[in-house]
PDB file of all heavy atoms in Angstrom:
ATOM      1  N   LEU A  11      -6.953   7.297   8.345  1.00 49.00           N
ATOM      2  CA  LEU A  11      -8.044   8.207   8.715  1.00 49.00           C
ATOM      3  C   LEU A  11      -9.450   7.571   8.686  1.00 49.00           C
ATOM      4  O   LEU A  11     -10.258   7.898   9.500  1.00 49.00           O
ATOM      5  CB  LEU A  11      -7.895   9.398   7.669  1.00 49.00           C
ATOM      6  CG  LEU A  11      -6.759  10.297   7.761  1.00 49.00           C
ATOM      7  CD1 LEU A  11      -6.676  11.226   6.493  1.00 49.00           C
ATOM      8  CD2 LEU A  11      -6.887  11.210   8.979  1.00 49.00           C
ATOM      9  N   SER A  12      -9.492   6.658   7.798  1.00 48.00           N
ATOM     10  CA  SER A  12     -10.886   6.071   7.742  1.00 48.00           C
ATOM     11  C   SER A  12     -11.253   5.188   8.921  1.00 48.00           C
ATOM     12  O   SER A  12     -12.304   5.337   9.446  1.00 48.00           O
ATOM     13  CB  SER A  12     -10.951   5.022   6.464  1.00 48.00           C
ATOM     14  OG  SER A  12     -10.778   5.888   5.213  1.00 48.00           O
ATOM     15  N   ALA A  13     -10.142   4.572   9.466  1.00 46.00           N
ATOM     16  CA  ALA A  13     -10.344   3.718  10.725  1.00 46.00           C
ATOM     17  C   ALA A  13     -10.652   4.609  11.850  1.00 46.00           C
ATOM     18  O   ALA A  13     -11.486   4.403  12.708  1.00 46.00           O
ATOM     19  CB  ALA A  13      -9.063   2.918  10.942  1.00 46.00           C
ATOM     20  N   ALA A  14      -9.845   5.715  12.025  1.00 48.00           N
ATOM     21  CA  ALA A  14     -10.072   6.701  13.020  1.00 48.00           C
ATOM     22  C   ALA A  14     -11.481   7.346  12.893  1.00 48.00           C
ATOM     23  O   ALA A  14     -12.246   7.538  14.029  1.00 48.00           O
ATOM     24  CB  ALA A  14      -9.117   7.882  12.848  1.00 48.00           C
ATOM     25  N   LEU A  15     -12.077   7.630  11.708  1.00 49.00           N
ATOM     26  CA  LEU A  15     -13.444   8.118  11.687  1.00 49.00           C
ATOM     27  C   LEU A  15     -14.314   7.192  11.970  1.00 49.00           C
ATOM     28  O   LEU A  15     -15.404   7.415  12.706  1.00 49.00           O
ATOM     29  CB  LEU A  15     -13.706   8.469  10.167  1.00 49.00           C
ATOM     30  CG  LEU A  15     -13.194   9.864   9.715  1.00 49.00           C
ATOM     31  CD1 LEU A  15     -13.180   9.998   8.202  1.00 49.00           C
ATOM     32  CD2 LEU A  15     -13.872  10.895  10.359  1.00 49.00           C
ATOM     33  N   THR A  16     -14.242   5.835  11.740  1.00 44.00           N
ATOM     34  CA  THR A  16     -15.099   4.856  12.135  1.00 44.00           C
ATOM     35  C   THR A  16     -15.147   4.700  13.592  1.00 44.00           C
ATOM     36  O   THR A  16     -16.224   4.604  14.087  1.00 44.00           O
ATOM     37  CB  THR A  16     -14.748   3.508  11.543  1.00 44.00           C
ATOM     38  OG1 THR A  16     -14.767   3.607  10.170  1.00 44.00           O
ATOM     39  CG2 THR A  16     -15.704   2.256  11.784  1.00 44.00           C
ATOM     40  N   ALA A  17     -13.995   4.676  14.218  1.00 44.00           N
ATOM     41  CA  ALA A  17     -14.039   4.578  15.764  1.00 44.00           C
ATOM     42  C   ALA A  17     -14.506   5.833  16.420  1.00 44.00           C
ATOM     43  O   ALA A  17     -15.302   5.732  17.437  1.00 44.00           O
ATOM     44  CB  ALA A  17     -12.515   4.541  16.148  1.00 44.00           C
ATOM     45  N   LEU A  18     -14.452   7.022  15.683  1.00 45.00           N
ATOM     46  CA  LEU A  18     -14.960   8.227  16.366  1.00 45.00           C
ATOM     47  C   LEU A  18     -16.505   8.392  16.183  1.00 45.00           C
ATOM     48  O   LEU A  18     -17.261   8.646  17.134  1.00 45.00           O
ATOM     49  CB  LEU A  18     -14.231   9.404  15.817  1.00 45.00           C
ATOM     50  CG  LEU A  18     -14.718  10.862  16.237  1.00 45.00           C
ATOM     51  CD1 LEU A  18     -14.461  11.026  17.645  1.00 45.00           C
ATOM     52  CD2 LEU A  18     -14.098  11.835  15.402  1.00 45.00           C
ATOM     53  N   LEU A  19     -17.041   8.015  14.846  1.00 42.00           N
ATOM     54  CA  LEU A  19     -18.403   8.292  14.514  1.00 42.00           C
ATOM     55  C   LEU A  19     -19.316   7.112  14.588  1.00 42.00           C
ATOM     56  O   LEU A  19     -20.462   7.253  14.417  1.00 42.00           O
ATOM     57  CB  LEU A  19     -18.339   9.051  13.169  1.00 42.00           C
ATOM     58  CG  LEU A  19     -17.740  10.344  13.117  1.00 42.00           C
ATOM     59  CD1 LEU A  19     -17.541  10.838  11.773  1.00 42.00           C
ATOM     60  CD2 LEU A  19     -18.191  11.394  14.005  1.00 42.00           C
ATOM     61  N   GLY A  20     -18.723   5.934  14.638  1.00 39.00           N
ATOM     62  CA  GLY A  20     -19.699   4.719  14.695  1.00 39.00           C
ATOM     63  C   GLY A  20     -20.057   4.381  13.221  1.00 39.00           C
ATOM     64  O   GLY A  20     -19.592   4.826  12.245  1.00 39.00           O
ATOM     65  N   THR A  21     -21.040   3.370  13.323  1.00 33.00           N
ATOM     66  CA  THR A  21     -21.431   2.777  11.973  1.00 33.00           C
ATOM     67  C   THR A  21     -22.909   2.885  11.757  1.00 33.00           C
ATOM     68  O   THR A  21     -23.615   1.874  11.344  1.00 33.00           O
ATOM     69  CB  THR A  21     -20.955   1.406  11.758  1.00 33.00           C
ATOM     70  OG1 THR A  21     -21.388   0.668  12.890  1.00 33.00           O
ATOM     71  CG2 THR A  21     -19.440   1.376  11.776  1.00 33.00           C
ATOM     72  N   ALA A  22     -23.606   3.879  12.294  1.00 35.00           N
ATOM     73  CA  ALA A  22     -25.066   4.069  12.284  1.00 35.00           C
ATOM     74  C   ALA A  22     -25.598   3.935  10.709  1.00 35.00           C
ATOM     75  O   ALA A  22     -24.953   4.651   9.888  1.00 35.00           O
ATOM     76  CB  ALA A  22     -25.471   5.233  12.922  1.00 35.00           C
TER      77      ALA A  22
END
Side-chain angles (χ1 to χ4, degrees):
L11 286 167
S12 299
L15 278 168
T16 300
L18 178 65
L19 299 174
T21 57

